[in-house]
Amino acid sequence: MAYSQKVIDHYENPQNVGSLDKADPQVGTGLVGAPACGDVMKLQLKINDDGIIEDAKFKTFGCGSAIASSSLVTTMVKGKSVVEAEKVSNAEIARELALPPVKIHCSVLAEDAIKAAIADYRKKHTEA
Amino acid sequence: MICWNCREPVQGAVCPGCDKLQPPPSVDHFALLGLPRTWSVERKTVEGAWRKLARQTHPDRFVGRRAVERRMAQQWTARAMDARAVLRDPHRRALYLATGEADLPEQGGPDVGAEFLEAVFELQMAARMGETGVDEQVEGMVSAQEAALVSALEQWEAGEGTLDDVPALIARLRYLRTARTLVAQAAH
């Protein structure tokens, strides 16, 4: 299957690969997976007291589209507020990367990862 | 069933009275191949049942016949190939028995548990960092999940349990298959 140029760009030169301190109260971690293909994606957000995403890191084990989706989504949410970041949709990611229908689930995974990371951050702050 | 041509009762793909091909029935993959709905069916049994049906309904046998029969022969061929592909693969057969679908859904799907996902992620990280022995750990997890899957299916077949855990076990094995590939790549 042919990947779009945008997928190849993000795959060959992924942005924001890495990890943040999971124990940091400012960091929310989302770990999600796609059972149908076995891809696993970890996405972390560092959120400041104003609710702005200061940093985003990811590590994805999976296909090129999954890596590209997570790379793109970190660039999309950096500098945004949590509320804005929550609105990032898989359709937006899929459109930006020109994903074919069989790879739409990769963009869904990236959306799920953002939501899971935000949920984790919120959990830390309601417990505190 | 009643033969669409001669109105005589008919069992099987071809009417014994008038030799006309019948449409494939709306039955599951097991019934289509004439196999019992069981987990413990051997691959060669599936192959044998499929080959018998494929011979009986092969489009080449119906070239000179009317369009309706030629179309039915194509339908039989497609259905039989589908049934064979699902039933000869142990994981797809297991999932089919448990859910009626041979493949996990593209999105959503069973919950494999946060701890399992974490473990798979950590193993792949370790492999990427150049740690050795990760492949053996992955194989160990594969063996454990395979054993749990077979045990669940055998108990179900003995009438002593449900197939409720099967989708999650299949999903875990799917994650481990991807992990196995990526761990092997990281080692090179």
Side-chain angles (χ1 to χ4, degrees):
Chain A
M1 186 194 49
Y3 283 119
S4 73
Q5 191 55 45
K6 283 234 173 170
V7 170
I8 293 165
D9 290 347
H10 274 281
Y11 178 71
E12 286 181 343
N13 188 21
Q15 307 294 303
N16 307 311
V17 174
S19 62
L20 300 167
D21 179 10
K22 205 182 165 185
D24 184 339
Q26 284 198 305
V27 172
T29 301
L31 177 64
V32 294
C37 58
D39 291 1
V40 188
M41 186 181 286
K42 183 180 253 183
L43 201 144
Q44 295 183 298
L45 303 174
K46 191 179 171 104
I47 298 163
N48 71 17
D49 295 337
D50 300 325
I52 302 297
I53 296 168
E54 286 185 340
D55 202 0
K57 294 278 184 207
F58 83 93
K59 193 85 197 104
T60 294
F61 295 107
C63 69
S65 299
I67 292 166
S69 293
S70 32
S71 169
L72 173 69
V73 87
T74 55
T75 64
M76 285 166 81
V77 299
K78 255 196 191 180
K80 277 191 178 154
S81 71
V82 172
V83 178
E84 281 175 304
E86 264 185 321
K87 290 185 195 145
V88 170
S89 75
N90 80 287
E92 226 174 311
I93 301 162
R95 194 169 50 238
E96 181 73 20
L97 294 173
L99 295 180
V102 294
K103 290 292 180 186
I104 296 297
H105 67 274
C106 299
S107 61
V108 174
L109 203 57
E111 182 191 322
D112 288 349
I114 288 282
K115 296 218 159 88
I118 293 172
D120 180 57
Y121 171 81
R122 290 216 170 107
K123 202 168 140 226
K124 278 183 180 175
H125 286 258
T126 47
E127 278 169 3
Chain B
M1 273 216 316
I2 301 292
C3 174
W4 59 270
N5 181 55
C6 70
R7 298 279 149 204
E8 289 296 316
V10 52
Q11 272 188 323
V14 177
C15 175
C18 67
D19 196 39
K20 289 279 186 287
L21 185 64
Q22 304 299 306
S26 312
V27 293
D28 75 0
H29 291 327
F30 289 96
L32 192 85
L33 297 188
L35 296 168
R37 198 180 158 82
T38 56
W39 154 247
S40 56
V41 54
E42 282 188 53
R43 196 181 172 118
K44 62 172 192 249
T45 309
V46 174
E47 289 295 307
W50 168 74
R51 209 168 298 127
K52 189 175 151 215
L53 185 64
R55 255 201 310 267
Q56 245 187 334
T57 60
H58 198 282
D60 284 358
R61 284 196 57 201
F62 301 92
V63 245
R65 306 278 189 104
R66 281 160 57 190
V68 56
E69 271 186 287
R70 297 204 307 271
R71 198 163 53 237
M72 285 174 190
Q74 281 168 1
Q75 287 166 356
W76 273 104
T77 300
R79 285 282 304 280
M81 275 172 59
D82 234 19
R84 174 202 189 206
V86 170
L87 299 188
R88 66 192 225 141
D89 178 322
H91 288 176
R92 296 186 80 203
R93 183 168 77 247
L95 196 61
Y96 184 70
L97 281 169
T99 68
E101 296 289 334
D103 300 293
L104 291 166
E106 279 279 312
Q107 286 161 38
D111 184 9
V112 297
E115 276 173 34
F116 176 86
L117 216 51
E118 190 81 37
V120 170
F121 184 87
E122 291 304 326
L123 280 175
Q124 302 207 45
M125 268 312 258
R128 199 58 67 90
M129 296 300 177
E131 275 184 40
T132 53
V134 178
D135 48 345
E136 282 133 41
Q137 289 184 64
V138 172
E139 293 314 315
M141 287 173 79
V142 171
S143 303
Q145 301 298 328
E146 283 282 3
L149 178 66
V150 169
S151 156
L153 287 154
E154 284 177 352
Q155 280 183 30
W156 169 77
E157 199 154 294
E160 287 164 12
T162 69
L163 296 178
D164 293 355
D165 293 340
V166 166
L169 288 165
I170 297 286
R172 286 184 187 156
L173 286 161
R174 188 68 191 81
Y175 281 116
L176 290 170
R177 200 162 89 202
T178 300
R180 180 191 269 160
T181 309
L182 295 175
V183 165
Q185 277 171 13
H188 289 294

